[in-house]
Amino acid sequence: MRKERGLELLFLLTGDVRIGKTRWLEGLCAELSDAGTRVAGVVAPGVWRAVGDGDGFEKLGIDNVLLPGGERVPFARRRDLALAEGVLDPRSQSEAARLGWHISDDALARVNAHFEGLARARGARGLAGRGLLVVDELGRLELEHDGGLTAAMALLTAGPASRFAHALVVVRDGLCPLAEERFGAAWGGATRIAPDDEALFLLRSACGLPPCAP
């Protein structure tokens, strides 16, 4: 649920697992960037392996792609694989939170440093357009344990700025109430969206673009 607050919007991209949220988000970011909208933050594509005769795929890990530069950071490994490969750190935040994914604390530090850099520039003047801050994704580590991508959460808690008038956060359905409670006040509420054409229309409109690509 969202209260009106000018043209500054917080979008929560949500839905079941494996419905293509990140793939849709990657396409959205490319489309907005090509149209001249400033897009910054992180998207988190999966690392997959074909299984069987190649008709199915198994998810092995998660990368983080830092926007707008495109640096790719190996971010998470499925916990059973990390254990078998000897890379699981029992002192890591993900282990303390008992997640199904092993997230390197070094990777968290790299991604947090990226968001800290965005925070330093969030109030920069003289930047045309209404940019979009992207966070893919906030999970249990952030919303239940106050860890993980803490710099991204700080940016969202600060609300809109001249550099980022809008924000889009990927959140699982069950965690949406926590995200709304934590960030809603700074943004005047939040709008839940699914990876579909209706959401594309909303995002293009919010960024001042025509409803359809030319």
Side-chain angles (χ1 to χ4, degrees):
M1 183 172 62
R2 180 179 64 82
K3 298 178 182 178
E4 294 298 329
R5 176 182 172 150
L7 294 175
E8 300 158 342
L9 301 173
L10 171 64
F11 298 94
L12 301 181
L13 177 59
T14 191
D16 292 336
V17 297
R18 298 194 180 183
I19 63 169
K21 293 188 293 295
T22 291
R23 187 164 54 251
W24 180 89
L25 180 56
E26 288 177 310
L28 170 74
C29 291
E31 183 174 330
L32 294 181
S33 295
D34 289 346
T37 297
R38 190 171 50 256
V39 179
V42 63
V43 294
V47 178
W48 302 84
R49 176 177 64 190
V51 295
D53 295 329
D55 294 332
F57 292 87
E58 176 187 20
K59 192 170 186 179
L60 307 179
I62 302 168
D63 287 346
N64 272 192
V65 178
L66 311 184
L67 304 176
E71 177 187 353
R72 198 176 189 101
V73 178
F75 187 72
R77 191 74 169 164
R78 212 173 68 205
R79 187 183 183 279
D80 61 318
L81 297 178
L83 184 60
E85 294 161 358
V87 298
L88 189 147
D89 181 356
R91 299 165 299 177
S92 65
Q93 292 186 46
S94 57
E95 278 298 286
R98 299 184 178 181
L99 302 184
W101 295 92
H102 176 62
I103 303 173
S104 160
D105 282 353
D106 289 341
L108 282 172
R110 176 66 192 93
V111 179
N112 273 319
H114 176 64
F115 280 108
E116 288 164 1
L118 296 179
R120 288 191 292 271
R122 70 183 293 272
R125 298 181 180 275
L127 294 170
R130 301 179 65 79
L132 179 69
L133 175 69
V134 174
V135 184
D136 181 12
E137 67 178 281
L138 296 184
R140 290 180 48 226
L141 190 55
E142 289 79 19
L143 295 171
E144 293 182 349
H145 297 275
D146 291 320
L149 300 181
T150 53
M153 291 195 294
L155 256 179
L156 291 166
T157 301
S162 58
R163 189 171 176 85
F164 304 116
H166 313 298
L168 187 156
V169 184
V170 179
V171 188
R172 297 285 175 86
D173 278 340
L175 294 174
C176 273
L178 292 177
E180 290 165 342
E181 180 180 357
R182 183 177 289 246
F183 310 121
W187 295 84
T191 299
R192 297 192 194 189
I193 59 173
D196 56 24
D197 289 344
E198 180 181 358
L200 179 60
F201 174 86
L202 288 173
L203 265 296
R204 287 186 64 88
S205 297
C207 294
L209 301 176
C212 298

